[in-house]
Amino acid sequence: MPFPYLGSYLHNISIDSTVIAATFFTSDFNNSILYVSTDLNSPWKYIDSSGLIYGLHIHDSTIIISRANYIPGYWQQRLCKSSDMGLTWDTVYTIPDSSIIFDFHRYNNKLYASGDKSVFSSADNGSTWAPDTMPTYCIYNKV
């Protein structure tokens, strides 16, 4: 499968039963580009390039990303959700401590977002989030 954007660096990939999503950092590392493909043989479709996308999760064709946008003086970190393959996005959580969310883990009907300072969880497929702790299973699963 060819990379859709020459001069970019693959950062993250997430796969569910029908969709592959990938984020790429631009060559200057000042932006991210999100692409999706509906199977291994179809071409990548450009979805989004606003802000830096650090974490990526896809489940049942719902895409959840952790996005950072620069606001003069600091980076605002948010969790954003799209239920229509990236046509529209909703900010579902603004991260209060400027933690950068790198990974998403699904365990016991909960979705966990883990970062450099904090962990958050959602019991409704990413519509609402709350501070939490990481289950031991998720930690060992990543090692």
Side-chain angles (χ1 to χ4, degrees), residues 58-132:
I58 189 160
H59 182 73
D60 294 335
S61 299
T62 296
I63 303 170
I64 300 172
I65 59 174
S66 65
R67 170 179 281 157
N69 291 96
Y70 186 72
I71 297 174
Y74 71 101
W75 285 89
Q76 180 187 50
Q77 307 289 329
R78 301 174 291 142
L79 297 178
C80 300
K81 179 179 178 177
S82 176
S83 298
D84 57 11
M85 297 299 296
L87 294 174
T88 60
W89 293 93
D90 294 315
T91 295
V92 290
Y93 193 70
T94 300
I95 300 169
D97 64 1
S98 72
S99 179
I100 298 172
I101 301 300
F102 292 105
D103 292 308
F104 291 92
H105 313 275
R106 189 171 290 280
Y107 181 68
N108 284 347
N109 297 320
K110 265 190 173 181
L111 180 60
Y112 293 89
S114 61
D116 58 343
K117 299 177 189 173
S118 302
V119 174
F120 305 93
S121 68
S122 172
D124 55 10
N125 201 30
S127 293
T128 59
W129 294 86
D132 206 335

Side-chain angles (χ1 to χ4, degrees), residues 14-68:
S14 184
I15 302 170
D16 80 354
S17 60
T18 59
V19 179
I20 303 167
T23 59
F24 297 83
F25 280 136
T26 56
S27 58
D28 60 5
F29 292 95
N30 286 325
N31 217 352
S32 297
I33 303 165
L34 174 64
Y35 287 91
V36 297
S37 177
T38 53
D39 63 52
L40 290 173
N41 296 316
S42 69
W44 290 95
K45 178 182 175 190
Y46 167 83
I47 299 296
D48 190 279
S49 64
S50 57
L52 288 169
I53 300 170
Y54 287 105
L56 170 67
H57 178 75
I58 189 160
H59 182 73
D60 294 335
S61 299
T62 296
I63 303 170
I64 300 172
I65 59 174
S66 65
R67 170 179 281 157

